[in-house]
Amino acid sequence: GAVVSQHPSWVICKSGTSVKIECRSLDFQATTMFWYRQFPKQSLMLMATSNEGSKATYEQGVEKDKFLINHASLTLSTLTVTSAHPEDSSFYICSVLQGIDQPQHFGDGTRLSIL
Amino acid sequence: QKEVEQNSGPLSVPEGAIASLNCTYSDRGSQSFFWYRQYSGKSPELIMFIYSNGDKEDGRFTAQLNKASQYVSLLIRDSQPSDSATYLCAVWNGNKLVFGAGTILRVKS
């Protein structure tokens, strides 16, 4: 069964809207979750590492004020794309780290389209 | 030099053949290696992971690791059209997974 639940799976909204994406760990408590973005025909790009109870660690070039991450519990991390614009349209995927050196399990992804 | 390198392909193999996917990595201290399969429009799914030198088999899949040469490969036996996808090699660097660009595999019936 699914280890990670990501919601919503598809979002279409107007430019300027803020969009929240949820990532839930279903089978275990996850201290660490990751948020990725994938543009068409490109590989996954790590955006940030989400740590329960502390601030997220953002990758170089990712605007932390635009992509707000909250990891308030051991089973839920959220990514909010604030004031989204068409260039933010992408496939956003979260993953859950089960343990150091252990495989990461990915959510089904959220396809975000900004008009 | 990229941290994790894969041939982008596409790699085309006939149905029933063995598909061989290769990956090299730059960090000699890496200890954990993963292969993910990604269908178009879907998120990656874990196929195999390997930590020790040598081969690890799971059904039709075999992962091979050679730390001295810094390469990891994935063999798919009896390839099926449903195996057609992008295969992502990933290496854990201590803080995060580093992905290769992926190899497109096409299995022709």
Side-chain angles (χ1 to χ4, degrees):
Chain A
V3 176
V4 183
S5 173
Q6 188 172 340
H7 179 81
S9 57
W10 194 289
V11 179
I12 301 174
C13 58
K14 295 181 179 179
S15 184
T17 305
S18 292
V19 178
K20 180 185 284 188
I21 303 169
E22 293 186 348
C23 180
R24 293 183 182 275
S25 174
L26 300 179
D27 289 351
F28 52 88
Q29 295 180 327
T31 305
T32 303
M33 297 185 184
F34 299 92
W35 287 96
Y36 295 85
R37 180 168 55 182
Q38 187 175 35
F39 291 106
K41 300 190 184 301
Q42 295 186 24
S43 191
L44 281 77
M45 295 299 298
L46 179 65
M47 299 176 67
T49 302
S50 173
N51 302 297
E52 188 270 337
S54 64
K55 292 182 179 180
T57 303
Y58 289 82
E59 295 297 299
Q60 190 173 7
V62 177
E63 299 176 60
K64 61 181 180 181
D65 294 331
K66 182 170 183 63
F67 299 100
L68 301 179
I69 291 173
N70 185 286
H71 193 154
S73 77
L74 287 171
T75 59
L76 175 64
S77 175
T78 61
L79 168 68
T80 301
V81 184
T82 61
S83 187
H85 292 284
E87 59 266 28
D88 298 321
S89 299
S90 188
F91 190 42
Y92 292 85
I93 314 171
C94 71
S95 74
V96 173
L97 182 65
Q98 190 168 355
I100 299 297
D101 285 348
Q102 296 298 306
Q104 285 185 26
H105 298 276
F106 287 86
D108 288 339
T110 298
R111 193 159 301 282
L112 177 61
S113 295
I114 307 299
L115 305 178
Chain B
Q1 180 186 8
K2 293 181 180 179
E3 291 185 67
V4 180
E5 295 204 52
Q6 297 179 253
N7 187 320
S8 62
L11 172 66
S12 293
V13 300
E15 183 175 357
I18 296 175
S20 178
L21 304 163
N22 300 311
C23 171
T24 59
Y25 59 94
S26 61
D27 185 353
R28 186 171 287 279
S30 299
Q31 297 293 325
S32 308
F33 308 87
F34 307 87
W35 282 99
Y36 288 86
R37 176 175 64 194
Q38 187 176 26
Y39 293 112
S40 180
K42 302 294 185 181
S43 68
E45 62 176 311
L46 181 70
I47 298 295
M48 294 281 291
F49 59 93
I50 187 167
Y51 303 141
S52 303
N53 275 329
D55 295 359
K56 179 182 179 182
E57 187 174 319
D58 184 1
R60 295 187 297 114
F61 300 96
T62 299
Q64 299 175 318
L65 175 61
N66 184 321
K67 292 185 179 180
S69 300
Q70 295 176 239
Y71 85 78
V72 57
S73 62
L74 179 70
L75 301 178
I76 306 174
R77 289 181 298 281
D78 188 24
S79 295
Q80 300 298 307
S82 59
D83 293 325
S84 297
T86 298
Y87 288 80
L88 301 169
C89 171
V91 179
W92 178 257
N93 75 352
N95 294 307
K96 60 185 180 183
L97 270 183
V98 180
F99 283 89
T103 298
I104 298 171
L105 174 65
R106 294 178 181 160
V107 181
K108 298 183 177 181
S109 58

